[in-house]
Amino acid sequence: MEMTQNPLDKFKHSLEQQGFNSPMLTTLAPHEKLKRHSSSQEIYGVVLDGELELLTNATNTIFTKHDIFFINAGGSFEIHCGSNGAQYLFSFKNSPPKAC
C-alpha cells in the first residue's frame, strides 16, 4: 500500500525542488504593518487566512485566503493586514553558492 503525503509535505517538497527553503508561518494582528528594506532573496508565500496588501515599488496588490504571492529580490516592500489580521506561509529562495 502506497502512503500519500499530506498537503504540507507536498508543498515543502515543491518549494525545495524550486530552490526555496522550508516555509515559515507568520500571523499578523488586525491592521498590523510589516516594512522590509531591500532583500537579496526572492520570497514566495501563500495566504492561509485573512487579507493582506502587498506594496512594492511597482504594485499594490490585495491577497486573500489561498492566494499565492511572490516578491522579487532586490526591492523593498510592505505588508498591510486587513481588519481581521492575516496568517500566511512564506519561504526564501536559497542563495546560490558563492564562487571561491
Side-chain angles (χ1 to χ4, degrees), residues 3-77:
M3 291 187 62
T4 59
Q5 286 183 308
N6 71 42
L8 183 56
D9 287 338
K10 287 180 181 179
F11 182 64
K12 286 179 179 181
H13 183 69
S14 175
L15 287 173
E16 289 170 1
Q17 288 180 321
Q18 297 175 55
F20 287 87
N21 60 20
S22 187
M24 296 168 267
L25 178 66
T26 299
T27 301
L28 299 175
H31 304 291
E32 188 171 353
K33 295 180 182 180
L34 257 179
K35 187 182 267 190
R36 295 289 182 254
H37 297 287
S38 184
S39 172
S40 61
Q41 294 178 301
E42 296 173 349
I43 301 170
Y44 180 75
V46 60
V47 179
L48 301 176
D49 198 18
E51 175 182 288
L52 59 86
E53 180 179 12
L54 176 62
L55 294 85
T56 66
N57 296 336
T59 63
N60 292 4
T61 308
I62 294 176
F63 296 95
T64 59
K65 189 174 183 175
H66 299 232
D67 286 342
I68 294 171
F69 61 92
F70 182 80
I71 302 171
N72 287 316
S76 59
F77 66 92

Side-chain angles (χ1 to χ4, degrees), residues 82-93:
S83 59
N84 294 321
Q87 187 174 55
Y88 60 95
L89 287 173
F90 73 97
S91 180
F92 292 106
K93 189 156 197 175

